[in-house]
Amino acid sequence: MTEELEVIDPQERFLELFKTEKYRQRISQLAVTGKTSLIVEFEDILTFDPKLADELLEKPEEYIDRHASNAAYQQLAIEDAEYAKKVEKVSVRIVGLLEATPLRKLGAANIGKLVMVEGIVVRSTPVRPMVMRASFKCKRCGELTFIDQSGPFLRAPFQCRSPQCGSKGPFEFVQEESKFIDSQDLRVQERPEDLPPGQLPRTLHVKLVGDEIVDVARPGDHVSIVGIVRAVAPTMPKIGKLRTFVLHLDANSIEVLGKEPEAPLPLPEEEEKILELAKDPWIHRKIINSIAPSIYGYEHIKEAIMYLLFGGVSKTLPDITIRGDLNVLLIGDPGTAKSQLLQYVARVAPRGLYTSGRGTTAAGLTAAVIREKGGGMSLEAGALVLADKGIACIDEMDKMRPEDRVAIHEAMEQHTVSVAKGGIVATLNARTAILAAANPTLGRYEPHRSIAENISLPITILSRFDLIFVLRDIPNKEIDSKMAEHILEIHKKGLSPIEPPIPPDLLRKYISYAKGIKPVLTQEALRRLNDFYLAMRSASEVEGSPVAITARQLESLVRIAEARARAALRKEVLAEDAEAAIAIMKRSLEEVGIDLSSYKIDIDLIMTGKSKTMRDKLQIILSTLLEMEKETGTVEKAALLNELEEKYKISRAEIERLIKQLLREGTIYEPREGYLKKT
Ligand SMILES: Nc1ncnc2c1ncn2[C@@H]1O[C@H](COP(=O)(O)OP(=O)(O)OP(=O)(O)O)[C@@H](O)[C@H]1O
Ligand SMILES: [Mg+2]
Ligand SMILES: [Zn+2]
């Protein structure tokens, strides 16, 4: 056995490294910027002295906090003696270890070692001061005793420092004489793209200490953290410490990574395949047929999913930004393969995330301020923040938390989530495309009712979807038998009867590749969209007729057309893209119950289920009710009916119906049988 060579005088070796041009410059820069952290690339140590690098990984405490830190300070004293005197210490922060350790591989073997982990920050506490050196005043003699602190609890002196006194207390903590440092706790989770299929993501607790590493990352950020793995035994009150330890990371450095999904450049032969595919005049058809081939039918929904996967181009103007991502909603009867479609998309999208409306954590879909066990508050990112720059597939969206119902408006249009609660104020990014599914309120979709009546989501949320489709389970002999054949075939073979023309792996790479293209609208495409928009608008210009189509739909059309150009890897949005966008938009509007042939689209009717005349009547009912409330407080229903019938000549049956609707919406309520009141 060969004797392991010790590094002779590691501090001396580090000093040599820090005397190289690069590090001399960095060190002298510290005084200029007023910082105390020296960033050191691991690779520099490795090329300088592989043995030193090895030891650093094995004994990080000794090598970083003592040897490297002392050497850096020594060099600082040479570069700027005055500043060195002022700062007392230089913190060496190592970045860029050769490889990241997957969170799920961290274990006993890593305890005490230096590792690098990558993940998403899911939770963060506010920055809190932590006492490093505590000062205690003896209540007997007034002498101050200083205790260097470590571990989670504040340690008081055992005995007074004064030899004359030597009393065992009591002591009083003196804040002004103690030394504090900023600290913050994070929870880091495996990135969706690192997750083995079907596994729940693991998380790791990370402690940050030092004002140059706290407050660097926010929930939703992708980070790379270098730190020392620690194991602590949780304490059970009255019982003692447990034998199984919990791992956490004491961070040495933290870097926020680029938010773009990892899109490793395709290999030359892959790129060739991708470009070859794009040349196919039937490329859109091919992609549609490759989306969830085991699911029978739903061509138009798969087409919408294609647009969603590729997405439009987001525009950042000096004053506003306009999202490029699409939001698609599927409303459907039970058992119509909605969940299956969503799960498929979450798998194939370069950064896809599947969640139910309730969310999988306390943070739900947007974000939440959580009270920690220890009593502190922390900010936790919900699904949309975690899916930043990806696709969030939200199943059972109608069942989201009430808090999310409010916050999701901002997330869906502005692509941010703002939180101001429990002393935490933050705005997180949520730049995601959304594919949502929901069941009809009444169990089954009722085509003669409006979409707003069919789904328990407010119109303000519905209007943020670019496309809405209805999946209905209607018995149809021909389709049923074909579908049965299709499903039974799958069960028999355990394979899809239709081979996807593009295998999922290649499709994912194709999408990543396409995302790099920013197609621009051609004059011809612009004209088509404009014509359609104006035609729809003018159909409603007639006095008193409802607003047909709004600017939101125009923006949706642009996004869809851009996505279609992208799917063919084209830099230009052609007339055919505009036509396809118009066609699918029409289809979506028709599905939600509008007869386009008459050109009388009434978005109000679609979304709220109230035509203008009906809204007028509802208005009359409400104002009459309010008028009568002034006199009697609560209003007798019978009296209201009489008043309305006499004054406005609305039929009793209609009034009854409208009142029922107002009750259902919660605009008015029944404080007791036969009486009404505005909410
Ligand atoms: N068009 C279809 N092609 C192939 N399989 C289908 C189709 N429609 C439904 N199925 C099958 O029916 C089953 C139920 O589908 P799924 O769970 O996705 O329904 P769902 O729409 O999410 O229902 P729910 O609203 O109750 O959640 C799945 O196993 C799915 O494969
Ligand atoms: Mg489902
Ligand atoms: Zn004393």
Side-chain angles (χ1 to χ4, degrees):
M1 227 175 77
T2 49
E3 189 79 346
E4 283 258 325
L5 282 175
E6 281 278 316
V7 178
I8 322 276
D9 204 344
Q11 186 170 326
E12 209 44 52
R13 293 295 287 155
F14 277 118
L15 190 58
E16 262 175 70
L17 173 64
F18 295 157
K19 282 192 187 298
T20 57
E21 187 52 34
K22 179 175 176 181
Y23 284 99
R24 276 195 56 187
Q25 233 170 41
R26 276 195 197 173
I27 290 171
S28 57
Q29 201 61 28
L30 290 181
V32 181
T33 51
K35 301 219 155 120
T36 56
S37 292
L38 175 68
I39 309 286
V40 179
E41 275 92 20
F42 182 74
E43 261 195 61
D44 290 340
I45 307 176
L46 194 67
T47 36
F48 176 76
D49 184 342
K51 184 72 201 154
L52 187 68
D54 255 12
E55 292 287 332
L56 177 109
L57 293 179
E58 288 298 309
K59 301 177 214 157
E61 241 165 319
E62 185 186 335
Y63 274 68
I64 299 174
D65 293 344
R66 275 216 346 255
H67 304 318
S69 170
N70 288 346
Y73 187 76
Q74 237 177 308
Q75 188 57 29
L76 179 65
I78 297 169
E79 303 288 340
D80 192 326
E82 206 175 315
Y83 187 66
K85 203 170 258 162
K86 209 175 106 198
V87 300
E88 287 178 19
K89 182 179 164 22
V90 175
S91 305
V92 171
R93 308 212 178 273
I94 311 287
V95 297
L97 301 198
L98 293 190
E99 54 179 4
T101 310
L103 285 190
R104 58 182 60 234
K105 295 269 167 62
L106 277 184
N110 303 102
I111 295 172
K113 308 277 162 68
L114 194 71
V115 298
M116 180 167 85
V117 295
E118 287 175 352
I120 311 182
V121 177
V122 286
R123 205 190 264 198
S124 72
T125 65
V127 174
R128 297 183 282 215
M130 181 166 92
V131 61
M132 297 303 284
R133 189 150 201 252
S135 161
F136 291 91
K137 190 184 211 161
C138 172
K139 284 206 169 161
R140 292 264 156 78
C141 71
E143 179 77 23
L144 287 180
T145 305
F146 295 94
I147 303 286
D148 286 333
Q149 301 288 325
S150 63
F153 301 105
L154 184 66
R155 279 190 301 129
F158 176 65
Q159 195 174 31
C160 177
R161 192 171 69 139
S162 156
Q164 289 86 0
C165 169
S167 133
K168 298 233 158 64
F171 298 101
E172 185 189 9
F173 177 70
V174 189
Q175 189 179 320
E176 302 79 55
E177 299 290 329
S178 299
K179 227 178 87 196
F180 288 87
I181 193 161
D182 282 336
S183 76
Q184 185 179 33
D185 290 2
L186 302 182
R187 198 155 258 289
V188 174
Q189 185 176 78
E190 279 176 296
R191 290 178 296 192
E193 55 260 47
D194 297 339
L195 206 58
Q199 299 268 349
L200 282 177
R202 302 259 174 102
T203 63
L204 178 70
H205 190 127
V206 178
K207 284 181 178 302
L208 303 168
V209 178
D211 52 354
E212 275 149 45
I213 55 173
V214 299
D215 232 0
V216 172
R218 290 179 301 169
D221 281 345
H222 288 233
V223 291
S224 166
I225 302 175
V226 173
I228 305 175
V229 181
R230 306 271 187 212
V232 255
T235 322
M236 300 280 277
K238 302 220 177 84
I239 300 174
K241 287 186 188 292
L242 297 181
R243 228 184 96 203
T244 43
F245 284 50
V246 178
L247 291 182
H248 76 256
L249 197 68
D250 269 341
N252 170 256
S253 75
I254 178 166
E255 288 178 293
V256 175
L257 302 174
K259 293 274 214 146
E260 300 306 321
E262 297 274 290
L265 284 179
L267 303 171
E269 66 261 31
E270 283 171 352
E271 185 167 5
E272 210 171 287
K273 263 195 220 161
I274 289 172
L275 295 176
E276 191 58 41
L277 267 178
K279 279 198 211 124
D280 191 329
W282 293 103
I283 178 63
H284 294 106
R285 191 102 308 277
K286 252 189 169 166
I287 295 172
I288 294 169
N289 290 341
S290 304
I291 292 173
S294 305
I295 293 177
Y296 179 81
Y298 299 139
E299 300 271 306
H300 60 297
I301 290 173
K302 292 182 180 180
E303 183 183 344
I305 288 176
M306 168 174 74
Y307 299 141
L308 184 97
L309 285 168
F310 287 89
V313 182
S314 69
K315 279 121 199 158
T316 315
L317 309 176
D319 45 348
I320 53 168
T321 47
I322 303 171
R323 68 181 160 95
D325 296 306
L326 278 124
N327 298 323
V328 176
L329 173 64
L330 309 178
I331 306 174
D333 295 344
T336 44
K338 297 182 298 298
S339 299
Q340 297 280 21
L341 280 167
L342 261 59
Q343 285 188 331
Y344 171 84
V345 171
R347 268 200 311 274
V348 78
R351 188 180 276 173
L353 186 141
Y354 176 89
T355 177
S356 88
R358 292 225 143 255
T360 37
T361 63
L365 297 179
T366 54
V369 172
I370 312 261
R371 188 175 290 279
E372 303 256 19
K373 275 196 218 100
M377 297 289 205
S378 65
L379 175 61
E380 185 167 312
L384 292 180
V385 175
L386 296 182
D388 187 32
K389 291 262 171 176
I391 297 182
C393 299
I394 310 174
D395 210 347
E396 326 255 333
M397 182 165 184
D398 44 332
K399 299 184 185 65
M400 68 183 144
R401 306 178 308 160
E403 300 94 297
D404 283 336
R405 265 177 200 260
V406 180
I408 204 157
H409 290 90
E410 180 194 346
M412 288 182 74
E413 200 70 81
Q414 274 67 48
H415 275 179
T416 53
V417 170
S418 301
V419 183
K421 209 175 146 196
I424 293 179
V425 179
T427 297
L428 308 174
N429 285 320
R431 293 158 292 187
T432 103
I434 295 177
L435 175 61
N439 283 117
T441 324
L442 306 159
R444 281 190 169 258
Y445 198 87
E446 302 271 357
H448 57 275
R449 287 176 197 255
S450 79
I451 189 149
E453 284 177 294
N454 263 302
I455 180 173
S456 47
L457 283 175
I459 170 188
T460 43
I461 292 180
L462 287 179
S463 68
R464 282 166 166 77
F465 283 100
D466 300 84
L467 295 170
I468 301 179
F469 294 104
V470 177
L471 292 81
R472 295 183 56 204
D473 188 12
I474 318 165
N476 172 314
K477 224 181 195 159
E478 198 188 330
I479 297 177
D480 286 350
S481 80
K482 278 206 189 121
M483 171 130 128
E485 198 183 309
H486 177 101
I487 293 179
L488 293 174
E489 190 73 5
I490 296 175
H491 281 266
K492 191 175 107 201
K493 289 203 213 136
L495 281 173
S496 171
I498 307 163
E499 267 298 305
I502 310 171
D505 261 354
L506 182 58
L507 183 58
R508 186 182 299 114
K509 290 201 173 109
Y510 187 91
I511 295 168
S512 294
Y513 190 88
K515 290 254 183 191
I517 299 170
K518 297 205 166 26
V520 210
L521 286 164
T522 57
Q523 210 49 45
E524 188 51 29
L526 210 65
R527 204 177 55 75
R528 303 273 168 112
L529 295 181
N530 200 35
D531 286 354
F532 174 72
Y533 181 65
L534 292 182
M536 290 295 166
R537 291 291 288 193
S538 68
S540 60
E541 243 173 30
V542 193
E543 185 66 39
S545 99
V547 177
I549 171 171
T550 72
R552 273 229 167 99
Q553 275 78 37
L554 183 59
E555 284 182 359
S556 298
L557 287 169
V558 172
R559 281 192 275 272
I560 297 167
E562 284 169 347
R564 191 173 182 279
R566 251 188 186 165
L569 304 187
R570 266 193 273 108
K571 292 194 179 64
E572 289 192 322
V573 181
L574 304 179
E576 60 169 274
D577 299 321
E579 293 297 344
I582 291 169
I584 197 154
M585 170 70 73
K586 277 187 176 172
R587 169 91 198 234
S588 166
L589 292 172
E590 266 165 3
E591 290 229 338
V592 295
I594 276 313
D595 176 18
L596 277 170
S597 54
S598 69
Y599 256 26
K600 281 243 186 302
I601 312 180
D602 178 352
I603 288 292
D604 286 351
L605 178 63
I606 297 171
M607 293 301 184
T608 62
K610 299 169 196 158
S611 65
K612 185 146 182 310
T613 49
M614 184 162 146
R615 262 183 305 147
D616 291 346
K617 281 182 191 155
L618 287 171
Q619 209 45 55
I620 291 171
I621 296 179
L622 274 179
S623 54
T624 312
L625 180 72
L626 278 176
E627 204 51 41
M628 293 170 76
E629 264 182 33
K630 270 191 213 142
E631 286 161 27
T632 53
T634 55
V635 178
E636 209 177 334
K637 193 167 159 194
L640 180 68
L641 282 167
N642 287 339
E643 175 85 8
L644 286 167
E645 198 180 17
E646 264 172 42
K647 241 195 184 155
Y648 298 98
K649 309 272 175 283
I650 312 176
S651 78
R652 271 190 113 78
E654 185 163 19
I655 303 169
E656 292 265 15
R657 206 164 48 73
L658 293 173
I659 286 178
K660 266 206 195 108
Q661 182 170 345
L662 287 170
L663 280 169
R664 198 171 45 229
E665 285 174 357
T667 319
I668 62 177
Y669 69 103
E670 231 173 337
R672 60 204 149 95
E673 186 75 35
Y675 286 84
L676 297 170
K677 200 165 164 50
K678 170 118 179 36
T679 319

